Amino acid sequence: MQIRENVSLKALNTFGLDAKARYFCSLHKMGGLRSVMQWAQEHPDLPVMFLGGGSNMLFVADFPGLVVQVRLLDKEILGQDDNYFYVRAAAGENWHDFVRWTIDQNMAGLENLSLIPGTVGAAPMQNIGAYGVEVKDCIYEVQAIDWRTAEIRDFSVEECRFSYRDSFFKSVEPGRWLIVTVVFRLPRKPQWKTAYAGVREQLEGKTLNARLISDAIINIRQSKLPDPAVIGNAGSFFKNPMIPQAKWETLQAQFPGIPGWPQGDEVKLSAGWLIDQCGWKGKRDGDAGTFEKHALVLVNHGNATGAQIWDFAYAIVTSVQAKFGVTLEPEPWVVK
Ligand code: EPU
């Protein structure tokens, strides 16, 4: 296991921020984990973080400890029962390539999650979601290693405590568990989810299959979200906020036409709409800005620092709070 010092993470985070890791290594095989853990035990004062595709991270500062890039690769079909196919993938597999591979195997379920940047291991961490599907809908179990004890544990989908862009691994015990493999459960009789505005129009009158839906999702994403290879970004920068019913009624009276979707007792608002209404779409301050076609996506126009992106985000939060009385929460993991 080669541990390097002062390594730039610029190519390893989709914001393209030139943050540095004090120490860095890549984990290609499970066998390598023992020496990484031993190194960490010999340096008890240094923090350790795991990096997947770096697609949901904002480095506001350099990382003072060890960054472990998870490159574990493997995928296989485990079998099937009356209702599902079971497929296992290692954490370092590229998410979109994995989705397309399942489609190549004539399996459905993940097509709505096409083209989401990142890795298989990062997907359960924040329960990635798009166009009416969340990854939790297709997860059977997650295998993770306790970074403190080296215990390997299988988490059932209930134990993962998934919720909107959240999980046990992200919020309850952050930094403790390293996700190493994910087992997916993909329905043998697919239920297509095509009601989302934009998706429905593209597929009108067509005989549906997973590849067709995946292609439509790719089209939609490419038409409104920036490609991180061209312009640095981490997808949606804020979560869509949930507000109580009473607050929703007040907002509706004040701002007729405000979009909102009931979710149990609460209402989910569109963070993109709120930010847009405050005049932020396409705005920039130096190289930090919002994408011209989508106000929810913060972008690095070239040489922004993480601190500049973070200041820009803070200005957005302040103005949405002032206009609507709603507090936006960042979606990416912020390293400060
Ligand atoms: N809108 C505006 N102005 C904007 C952008 C959006 O008014 O500049 C309004 C429109 O009314 C639009 C609505 O916001 O109809 C919703 O926009 P969109 O369909 O793009 O969805 P979103 O809520 O902004 C969420 C996810 C995305 C996911 C899409 C599609 C979150 C935080 N984001 O975005 O996920 O791809 O739905 O399902 O939940 C991500 O998490 O990184 C991500 C890209």
Side-chain angles (χ1 to χ4, degrees), residues 56 126 129-132 164-165 196 221 224-225 234-236 238-240 259 261 268 270-273 276 281 293-296 331:
N56 204 45
Q126 60 143 355
Y131 306 103
Y164 171 57
R165 294 297 190 276
Y196 204 97
R221 289 188 76 95
K224 64 178 183 185
L225 295 171
S236 301
F238 298 102
K239 293 190 203 177
N240 284 326
W261 297 269
K268 190 189 257 189
S270 159
W273 187 89
D276 198 354
K281 184 143 78 182
K293 293 190 212 160
H294 205 304
L296 187 52
E331 194 195 83

Side-chain angles (χ1 to χ4, degrees), residues 22 60 63 70 75 83 91 132 162 171 174 181 196 232 245 250 255 260 283 293 307 320 322:
R22 177 76 182 85
V60 174
F63 190 71
V70 181
K75 49 187 184 296
N83 299 317
F162 290 120
S171 296
T181 47
Y196 204 97
Q245 186 68 32
T250 315
F255 304 98
K283 284 272 158 62
K293 293 190 212 160
V320 168

Side-chain angles (χ1 to χ4, degrees), residues 110-114 129-133 191-225:
L110 299 176
E111 55 282 353
N112 289 40
L113 304 179
S114 296
Y131 306 103
V133 174
Q191 304 270 312
W192 310 120
K193 300 246 172 65
T194 56
Y196 204 97
V199 181
R200 196 180 43 233
E201 290 78 355
Q202 285 227 9
L203 295 168
E204 206 95 76
K206 299 193 172 144
T207 307
L208 298 180
N209 61 55
R211 188 176 308 278
L212 195 71
I213 297 173
S214 172
D215 289 346
I217 300 286
I218 291 171
N219 264 329
I220 295 168
R221 289 188 76 95
Q222 285 176 336
S223 71
K224 64 178 183 185
L225 295 171

Side-chain angles (χ1 to χ4, degrees), residues 83-95:
N83 299 317
Y84 297 102
F85 296 112
Y86 295 85
V87 180
R88 178 166 59 202
E93 291 286 343
N94 172 277
W95 173 258

